Amino acid sequence: MAIDTPATIAILGAGPIGLEAAIYARFLGYEVTVYEKGRVADHVRQWGHVTLFTPFHMNSSSLGRSAIETQAPDAPLPKSDAHLTGQQWVEEYLTRLTQVDLLRGNIREATEVLAVGKEGFLKSELVSHEERFEELQLVLARNAAGEEQWQQFDIVIDTTGTFGVPNHLGPGGLPAAGESSLNRDQLWAHQSPPLSFRLPNIESEHRDFFAGKHTLVLGTGYSAATNLSELLKLQSKEGSTTITWAVRHSEATERDLIARFPDDALPRRDLLASEVNHAATDGRIQVLFNAQIKGLAPMQNGRWDVQFYDEAIEALQVDAILANVGFQGDWKITEETQLHRCYASGGPMKWSATLVNSSTADCLSKTSQSSENLITTEPNFYVLGSKSHGRWSNFLFQNGLEQIRMLFSVIADRTNLNLYQTPLSS
Ligand SMILES: Cc1cc2nc3c(=O)[nH]c(=O)nc-3n(C[C@H](O)[C@H](O)[C@H](O)COP(=O)(O)OP(=O)(O)OC[C@H]3O[C@@H](n4cnc5c(N)ncnc54)[C@H](O)[C@@H]3O)c2cc1C
């Protein structure tokens, strides 16, 4: 059933995909409000020192580039093959997107969405009933002054990402003993000894802390690889910097610690993986296999005491822990909707089912997905972007653009609708 313009759309989160969804919707004539709990692209800013391994043409849309170029023809965009840092992506593209006429005034920064629901109906009422389709969505949000306000919309699109809620670092994804009592959001900033679930700027901002210290890194994804690579650079200058890497699988497993793909189309990604894998074999990184953290405790001397689940692995005392164990997103905001979530990824059920076979594979080679799979069990409520992949971390910006194209063909009920193929002036 088409929802015609001028309908109202709430977009939760002004990250890269929220902004792209907003400009797409505005271009079609929808009224859009984008809620952002921090600043625009807040999550990307948090890893702003990291260089993207996809080039600029894969981190921007034709629609966004045309809108910016039309409005500011004298300020060129980055070259299509440029590899920007996260911060450059924010400054040279995403922020500029918020300044085009179609989006100006539509974004509410420092406004956190607390809950989404259906006007007039509880979660438990009218399962798959026609009337539920006809009801408006309610969004409860709190602004910087602490004021909480309700607003009604025809459609809600959740693009709040996953980066805000990291996974736990213990065995089986449970909290390690001692982890639950820590304030995980404040660990880096306010507590000593430090524990980060993200990517602190090791090479410059936190260089003095890491130089000559012993850091334990957890995880085998590209965030772990990025942290390990930065620690290696530091170690090459400050030889007393010690790096221990705890991985869950056994030494006998014949696989690269950081996954590599044959003829990788993203050479920067392959370079990162091969550099770290190599350092794990030549002694610059000490690798602990079968190593899951059973418990951790801060010590009087400002270090962590770390116990392993496998008692054959001796306890370690380290100065810092970088726990790159993945993210899961904040699903509390959707608790009162009838959203059916996948029992493995935590993302929307139908979309997750399309990913199940590609969840561990190269994020460039996704199986083909249909727009029908974006429709959730809560009418007119959708999840796009990295959050739609839940705990499966193989999301790329370009996957999100494909979702946006498909979703608006559903909302507008126009199968062939594709603004990414239509010049802006037409
Ligand atoms: C280190 C690192 C490197 C990466 N490199 C690449 C790369 O090279 N290429 C690539 O394609 N992808 C890369 N990615 C993946 C990248 O995260 C995504 O492509 C992109 O950021 C996903 O955008 P998003 O809009 O889905 O989510 P996010 O970027 O997570 O944006 C979500 C937004 O929602 C806001 N928000 C959260 N909760 C609320 C709330 N309750 N109310 C209001 N606002 C809220 C957040 O503040 C944030 O601004 C990388 C990721 C990381 C961590």
Side-chain angles (χ1 to χ4, degrees):
M1 181 168 44
I3 298 200
D4 292 328
T5 56
T8 53
I9 302 184
I11 294 180
L12 319 184
I17 300 305
L19 293 174
E20 292 285 358
I23 190 127
Y24 204 102
R26 289 289 295 126
F27 206 73
L28 290 172
Y30 292 98
E31 295 296 325
V32 172
T33 301
V34 185
Y35 292 93
E36 169 53 53
K37 73 172 174 187
R39 294 167 68 197
V40 160
D42 213 69
H43 289 166
V44 178
R45 289 174 199 270
Q46 291 178 43
W47 48 268
H49 59 287
V50 176
T51 303
L52 288 133
F53 45 61
T54 45
F56 180 63
H57 72 87
M58 289 175 72
N59 307 324
S60 56
S61 70
S62 52
L63 195 64
R65 292 192 300 268
S66 310
I68 292 170
E69 277 168 342
T70 305
Q71 191 139 336
D74 298 332
L77 284 163
K79 292 202 165 57
S80 94
D81 61 353
H83 284 273
L84 307 181
T85 61
Q87 191 59 32
Q88 287 168 329
W89 191 22
V90 172
E91 287 167 11
E92 296 176 32
Y93 180 68
L94 298 170
T95 303
R96 291 183 66 186
L97 205 52
T98 67
Q99 292 159 355
V100 304
D101 287 340
L102 280 172
L103 282 192
R104 206 194 300 271
N106 291 67
I107 300 167
R108 298 193 196 162
E109 288 184 287
T111 305
E112 181 176 6
V113 173
L114 304 176
V116 185
K118 214 49 147 195
E119 190 178 55
F121 292 119
L122 302 176
K123 182 185 180 83
S124 53
E125 291 174 333
L126 297 178
V127 179
S128 303
H129 198 283
E130 275 291 302
E131 277 185 58
R132 213 168 160 99
F133 279 84
E134 283 150 23
E135 280 302 315
L136 291 169
Q137 321 283 319
L138 284 179
V139 172
L140 174 66
R142 185 194 295 131
N143 66 19
E147 294 156 355
E148 294 183 9
Q149 281 182 344
W150 292 104
Q151 198 166 339
Q152 303 163 317
F153 294 93
D154 295 299
I155 296 167
V156 172
I157 304 175
D158 182 352
T159 58
T160 53
T162 58
F163 200 73
V165 183
N167 292 330
H168 292 289
L169 57 74
L174 303 176
E179 185 186 343
S180 300
S181 55
L182 303 169
N183 181 343
R184 301 198 315 159
D185 287 336
Q186 296 191 344
L187 283 168
W188 189 262
H190 304 296
Q191 289 193 19
S192 175
L195 164 59
S196 173
F197 287 81
R198 299 186 173 85
L199 296 104
N201 189 340
I202 293 168
E203 269 202 285
S204 58
E205 195 184 342
H206 300 294
R207 185 194 164 93
D208 288 348
F209 174 77
F210 285 101
K213 301 272 178 41
H214 185 178
T215 301
L216 173 66
V217 179
L218 314 179
T220 50
Y222 295 102
S223 292
T226 302
N227 277 333
L228 287 162
S229 166
E230 288 215 9
L231 286 166
L232 286 167
K233 281 185 208 133
L234 193 56
Q235 190 188 56
S236 69
K237 293 171 202 142
E238 306 271 353
S240 56
T241 305
T242 306
I243 311 167
T244 301
W245 186 11
V247 300
R248 283 192 304 133
H249 53 269
S250 105
E251 191 166 10
T253 315
E254 286 195 12
R255 50 163 276 195
D256 290 318
L257 289 176
I258 302 291
R260 294 182 67 192
F261 303 100
D263 304 319
D264 196 336
L266 300 175
R268 292 188 73 93
R269 176 175 68 175
D270 195 49
L271 198 66
L272 177 68
S274 67
E275 177 206 3
V276 170
N277 290 339
H278 187 238
T281 58
D282 69 13
R284 284 176 288 157
I285 298 175
Q286 294 159 16
V287 185
L288 300 176
F289 291 95
N290 287 323
Q292 303 195 66
I293 310 286
K294 183 172 150 194
L296 74 172
M299 298 165 69
Q300 293 270 321
N301 61 4
R303 306 184 89 201
W304 288 106
D305 181 49
V306 182
Q307 313 280 330
F308 292 91
Y309 198 67
D310 178 349
E311 286 172 3
I313 305 176
E314 266 184 48
L316 267 187
Q317 278 86 50
V318 295
D319 297 294
I321 303 173
L322 300 179
N324 299 122
V325 290
F327 299 93
Q328 51 183 277
D330 178 3
W331 295 96
K332 286 195 305 293
I333 59 176
T334 62
E335 225 159 52
E336 298 309 317
T337 68
Q338 288 186 349
L339 177 67
H340 181 199
R341 290 170 53 209
C342 170
Y343 41 80
S345 73
M349 189 65 205
K350 271 208 277 181
W351 187 257
S352 298
T354 69
L355 298 172
V356 80
N357 292 324
S358 62
S359 61
T360 54
D362 183 358
C363 38
L364 282 178
S365 55
K366 291 268 165 4
T367 50
S368 64
Q369 286 145 338
S370 93
S371 47
E372 290 298 303
N373 294 320
L374 288 170
I375 299 173
T376 75
T377 39
E378 179 63 277
N380 299 324
F381 175 83
Y382 305 96
V383 184
L384 300 190
S386 48
K387 191 170 187 179
S388 66
H389 283 221
R391 291 168 191 233
W392 292 329
S393 60
N394 58 354
F395 176 84
L396 284 182
F397 174 85
Q398 62 171 21
N399 305 136
L401 294 188
E402 182 59 5
Q403 289 181 326
I404 292 169
R405 181 193 68 71
M406 290 194 292
L407 178 62
F408 282 96
S409 74
V410 170
I411 291 175
D413 200 15
R414 287 163 59 192
T415 315
N416 296 324
L417 179 66
N418 183 359
L419 293 187
Y420 296 139
Q421 278 181 348
T422 315
L424 190 66
S425 51
S426 68

